[in-house]
Structures are given as structure tokens and as C-alpha cells.
Amino acid sequence: MSANGPATEDLIKEVEFTHTNALMEKYIEAHSAQSKWKRIPLESRIECIKDFAALLLENKEELSTELTLEVGKPITQSISEIEGAASKCDFFILNSEDLLKRQKLNQDGATEEIIDYDPLGVIGHISAWNYPYLVGINIFVPALIAGNAVLYKPSEHCPKVGDSIARLLWQAGVPKEVFQVLHGDHKCGQAMLHLPLDGYFFTGSNAVGKKIASAVAPKLVPMILELGGKDPLYVTNDLSNVDNAAEQALDGAFYNNGQSCCSVERIYVHEDIYHEFRDKFIQKVSELSIGDPLNPCTYIGKVTRKAHMSYLEEQIQDALSKGAKLECGGKRIDEDYFEPTVLTNVTHDMKLMQEETFGPVIGIQKVISDAQAIELMNDTEYGLTSSVFCSDRLRGERILKEINSGTGYLNCADRVSSYLPWAGRKGSGLGCALSKHGLYAFCAPKGYHLR
Ligand code: NAD
């Protein structure tokens, strides 16, 4: 497999596919190593993650350049990803000891009732390319702390980043057999589904997530699916600072070229401020700097997968054919970049307002009330995040409560915290990463009745 980075199109590295026959060998190694790893004191496993986080920061420059070369992300956003990845470990470093300790929960007469958290065993993580550090950490950090071994398949679009993650974890003290990298495309992912793993943790598209769910279900082992989104943002008419809302909506929609699971993908604006918001938003879009991802001034880099450009064009054509108005952008530039695109007069019979776009294209729809906004925000098969801009906190929270998504943002968007659950609803996923729930996801709780 050759890794040609979209940033320069140069061959970055030849990466060898992990041969299907080697998968079982790696599993057997991991299985045997895990029985030792789980016996290492919890504090020592946490110490390894602490050292891993420190190594991320120490090697920030080299790692962020590699990330940009491999996925075409602007260099400033790659630096933020590495810094964010290091600080994302903090929740688990600070809280795991307390959360995983054996707890006496009740005394029933002569019987002590105690809960213990065993690791699952050897788990598989099949991962995505858009935030390889951030989405990887959701899985392998709590999994390793809880005492599991991990077979990690990075996306075929960022194998070199996958190797760097492994190198730093090994350097931090995680045994090589306990964290192993499997290289390959969907065939490698499919082959992992035939291994007798003790849990499957997938980050990727809804379509692949459904295939994984049906293959894993008969195994009766835990599974988490972190899938795509069609995340809505609603701007109410109760807003003291429309410019700020436009600025944040812009960042939510176009950060990482719109290639985030929690990118803002649909904007609804109350009719009272619709024109003001729309004009400010479009003005800001026209000021975005597009260009070489290695240039620190660039905000919009290259689209990572070239094949995705025709998908973006199709969504735009579908919307235009049904009456949408193209306000700016609308086409690719030089086969590498896609113009940041805004469409108005959009409706829910357009793919643009229903299907994940995963690119720098956004639709803005006018609404007449909170009730209409709520109805529209709920009207997709996804439920990852939703965002409301509103000066009245009670009103904002009331709206968010009505939206069937795992995350609600008030006056912010496109944000992840390791202290809070990350749990897509409906077509956006199954199960929960991050927070204490995302640590317990890698444990098999055991109840002891001790008399
Ligand atoms: P993808 O589904 O194409 O691939 C994800 C991984 O699955 C890759 O490693 C790929 O090799 C593997 N794979 C593909 N087909 C497979 C199969 N049949 N069996 C087993 N493995 C298979 O997704 P992608 O393009 O890498 O990532 C983008 C998607 O991920 C977007 O939909 C995005 O929203 C989503 N995502 C979600 C989150 C989240 O936290 N919810 C985070 C990041 C990305």
C-alpha cells in the first residue's frame, strides 16, 4: 500500500498490508500479552498514557507535519489536533483510578456486595482518517488503561500516522504485543471481523457501520459505533451578537474542510434575523483563505479523498435542480480544492439537507419559529450533535432538549470534551465513547457477593 499524501501528492511511504494470515498471529500474541498487561498495576498503565500524552506534545511539530502531508489538513489544524489529543488524555489520566477501583456498594446482612471492573480482553479498533489522533484516543486510551490489548487498524488514508501512534505508545511503555497496528483497507477491516475479538470499536461512515454491526452482532461481544452526522445549527431571533453566531457557524461548517463527524451540516435561521445572518455568513466565507495546507495562513486545505469531489458536486446539483440558490462557491478548483459553498432556498427534499456532506458545502434555511426549527433539526436519520444560538439560556436549553442527538451545544458548535459522553443517536452510532461511560465501555463489570 503506498501512502500518497494529498498535501503534496508525493509518495510519503510504502506501507505493507498486514497479510490476512498474520492477523491471527497478531491476535494470539495480543491475547497472551493482555493477560500480563491486565495484572500490571492500574497506576502504571495510567503512567504510560501520561507519558504518551507528553510525547505527543514533545513531537508536536514532526507529528503535525506528517498529519498534514498525509491527509491534507491545514498545518494549524494539525497542530491543534495533536495538542487536543494530548489534553484529551487528561480525563482518563485524572479519573481512571477512582472510576475503576473495586467498590463496596452495599452490605446486605452478612453479605458484602462489591463491584469490580475487569478488562474485556483483546479489542479491535477500526478507525477513520479525518481526525486520526482524536478519534483513536477515544478508543485506545481508555481501552489500554482498563487493561485491554488493542488491535488498531488506522484508515488506509493515514497509515503513517497509525505507525506514529504505535511508536509513541511503545515508547511510553505499552508493550508492542499489547498495542498492534494492522495495515490495510476495507479487506483488512473485514478480516478483523473474523477474529475472536472481545469487542469491536468502529469509527467511520454509517454505511460501513451497519455492515460491521451485522457481522459483529452474532458474536455477542460489546461494540461501539461512532458514525457520521448531519448536524444542525439553529440561530434564534433572540441574539445580541449575530456576528459571533455567524463566525462560530462558519468555523463549525468549514473547519477541517467540513470533514468532521460533528461539522455543522445544516443551518436554520429565524426569519427575524435571517438576512442579517446570511449576509454576514457569506461575507465571512468569501474571506476564507484556501491553499497550500503547509502554509500557516491556510484555513481551507485540500479535499482528502479526490473521489469525494463528485459526491459534493452531485449534492449541489441535486439542490440546484430542486430550487436552491447558489450564494457562493459550487465547484472544484484545480482538482485538489473545493470552493467553500453556501446554498440558500434549501428544503428537506434535497440530499444536501438529509445526507452527510462531509465537505465544505452548507445549506441555510429560513424558519418561522422554534417549533419549526425543532421539527427540521430532528428530520434526518442522524443524531450526533445539534447547536442552538440564543441569548436566553432557558429557551436554548428547552430547544436542545427536544432534539434527538447525543450532544447539545448552546452558543458553540463542533466541540468535543473527554469529560462528556460522545454518543451518536439514530444513524450516528451505537454506544458511548469518552467520559466515565466511555471508560466503562472497555470493562466487563463483575458483581461479588461475599459472605
Ligand atoms: P469509512 O467508513 O469509509 O472507513 C472507516 C474504516 O473502516 C477504515 O479504516 C476502513 O478501511 C474500514 N472499512 C471500510 N469498509 C469496511 C468493511 N466492510 N468492514 C470493515 N472495515 C471496513 O469512513 P472514513 O471515510 O474513514 O471516515 C469518515 C466517516 O467517519 C464520516 O462518516 C465521519 O462522520 C465518520 N466519523 C465519525 C466520528 C464520530 O466520532 N462519530 C469521528 C470521525 C469520523
Side-chain angles (χ1 to χ4, degrees):
M1 173 169 60
S2 56
N4 282 65
T8 59
E9 295 306 328
D10 292 342
L11 178 70
I12 301 174
K13 187 184 182 183
E14 287 279 353
V15 183
E16 226 179 277
F17 265 22
T18 308
H19 197 272
T20 316
N21 297 340
L23 293 186
M24 187 46 102
E25 282 165 33
K26 285 184 180 273
Y27 165 76
I28 292 168
E29 275 174 13
H31 183 68
S32 143
Q34 190 263 333
S35 59
K36 296 191 198 95
W37 178 244
K38 73 176 178 188
R39 289 191 171 82
I40 288 174
L42 174 58
E43 311 86 75
S44 308
R45 297 199 299 264
I46 293 172
E47 204 55 39
C48 289
I49 297 304
K50 219 185 213 172
D51 291 349
F52 169 69
L55 284 167
L56 284 173
L57 295 178
E58 265 170 46
N59 294 280
K60 183 169 71 177
E61 249 174 65
E62 173 202 327
L63 298 175
S64 53
T65 305
E66 176 183 84
L67 177 57
T68 286
L69 287 172
E70 217 167 33
V71 301
K73 186 182 292 231
I75 188 70
T76 50
Q77 298 179 18
S78 290
I79 294 169
S80 297
E81 176 163 353
I82 306 296
E83 290 171 346
S87 67
K88 215 177 191 190
C89 297
D90 286 351
F91 169 80
F92 297 107
I93 292 168
L94 296 172
N95 296 290
S96 295
E97 225 175 311
D98 202 34
L99 290 168
L100 295 183
K101 69 172 184 249
R102 159 178 263 239
Q103 288 173 59
K104 178 177 163 185
L105 292 175
N106 194 28
Q107 179 80 39
D108 182 15
T111 313
E112 273 185 36
E113 296 177 353
I114 284 176
I115 187 165
D116 236 353
Y117 295 99
D118 293 341
L120 297 175
V122 183
I123 64 114
H125 175 34
I126 301 175
S127 198
W129 52 265
N130 60 332
Y131 287 97
Y133 284 94
L134 293 175
V135 301
I137 278 172
N138 289 3
I139 306 300
F140 61 71
V141 162
L144 290 169
I145 285 181
N148 299 280
V150 179
L151 298 187
Y152 169 59
K153 190 190 101 53
S155 164
E156 58 274 35
H157 300 292
C158 53
K160 210 174 169 213
V161 168
D163 282 342
S164 291
I165 288 174
R167 181 172 40 83
L168 296 186
L169 282 168
W170 298 337
Q171 206 176 326
V174 176
K176 285 192 172 177
E177 298 76 18
V178 166
F179 185 87
Q180 306 210 32
V181 182
L182 313 179
H183 280 303
D185 56 13
H186 63 284
K187 288 192 197 119
C188 178
Q190 282 166 334
M192 284 173 77
L193 305 177
H194 294 296
L195 294 175
L197 297 180
D198 301 300
Y200 285 86
F201 298 83
F202 171 73
T203 312
S205 60
N206 169 287
V208 175
K210 282 178 179 158
K211 288 183 196 166
I212 288 180
S214 59
V216 171
K219 292 174 179 274
L220 303 183
V221 295
M223 160 168 60
I224 285 186
L225 305 173
E226 295 191 45
L227 309 178
K230 189 71 199 165
D231 297 358
L233 179 148
Y234 170 39
V235 187
T236 66
N237 55 349
D238 166 25
L239 208 57
S240 48
N241 190 342
V242 177
D243 193 69
N244 171 54
E247 187 64 41
Q248 295 207 47
L250 178 91
D251 203 39
F254 293 109
Y255 192 84
N256 197 21
N257 234 335
Q259 302 170 130
S260 307
C261 54
C262 53
S263 282
V264 173
E265 291 239 345
R266 303 175 276 151
I267 299 178
Y268 303 96
V269 187
H270 196 284
E271 59 181 357
D272 294 351
I273 58 159
Y274 176 78
H275 291 106
E276 184 186 356
F277 177 90
R278 181 200 59 190
D279 294 349
K280 282 185 189 297
F281 187 85
I282 292 167
Q283 176 59 35
K284 288 177 189 297
V285 172
S286 71
E287 290 161 8
L288 292 176
S289 52
I290 310 169
D292 178 5
L294 288 165
N295 180 340
C297 298
T298 294
Y299 183 85
I300 300 270
K302 294 187 179 183
V303 172
T304 305
R305 291 168 306 157
K306 286 206 171 73
H308 197 63
M309 299 247 217
S310 10
Y311 175 84
L312 300 177
E313 285 164 348
E314 258 174 57
Q315 274 204 351
I316 293 168
Q317 278 320 310
D318 173 72
L320 293 175
S321 72
K322 291 172 181 163
K325 179 177 177 213
L326 184 65
E327 299 283 359
C328 61
K331 56 181 191 311
R332 56 180 94 187
I333 318 168
D334 292 347
E335 297 301 311
D336 282 324
Y337 300 91
F338 204 90
E339 292 176 335
T341 300
V342 182
L343 293 128
T344 54
N345 287 350
V346 291
T347 54
H348 271 222
D349 62 343
M350 299 170 184
K351 291 178 185 167
L352 176 70
M353 299 303 273
Q354 290 289 313
E355 294 172 10
E356 185 176 39
T357 301
F358 217 58
V361 182
I362 186 90
I364 307 182
Q365 184 166 359
K366 191 196 294 181
V367 294
I368 56 167
S369 63
D370 292 353
Q372 190 193 13
I374 290 166
E375 192 186 327
L376 290 170
M377 289 166 91
N378 276 323
D379 177 36
T380 72
E381 70 162 307
Y382 292 101
L384 189 57
T385 79
S386 45
S387 176
V388 171
F389 278 75
C390 182
S391 297
D392 175 348
R393 179 160 171 173
L394 282 180
R395 177 180 170 193
E397 284 201 54
R398 236 181 354 250
I399 298 167
L400 287 172
K401 214 166 170 45
E402 296 299 317
I403 315 295
N404 193 11
S405 64
T407 293
Y409 300 119
L410 182 65
N411 298 320
C412 56
D414 187 20
R415 163 172 208 285
V416 182
S417 162
S418 49
Y419 286 78
L420 293 175
W422 190 246
R425 296 187 184 176
K426 304 194 284 182
S428 288
L430 191 72
C432 175
L434 299 179
S435 76
K436 64 178 182 183
H437 303 287
L439 178 63
Y440 290 141
F442 298 94
C443 301
K446 185 158 178 171
Y448 287 96
H449 307 240
L450 303 180
R451 192 169 293 169

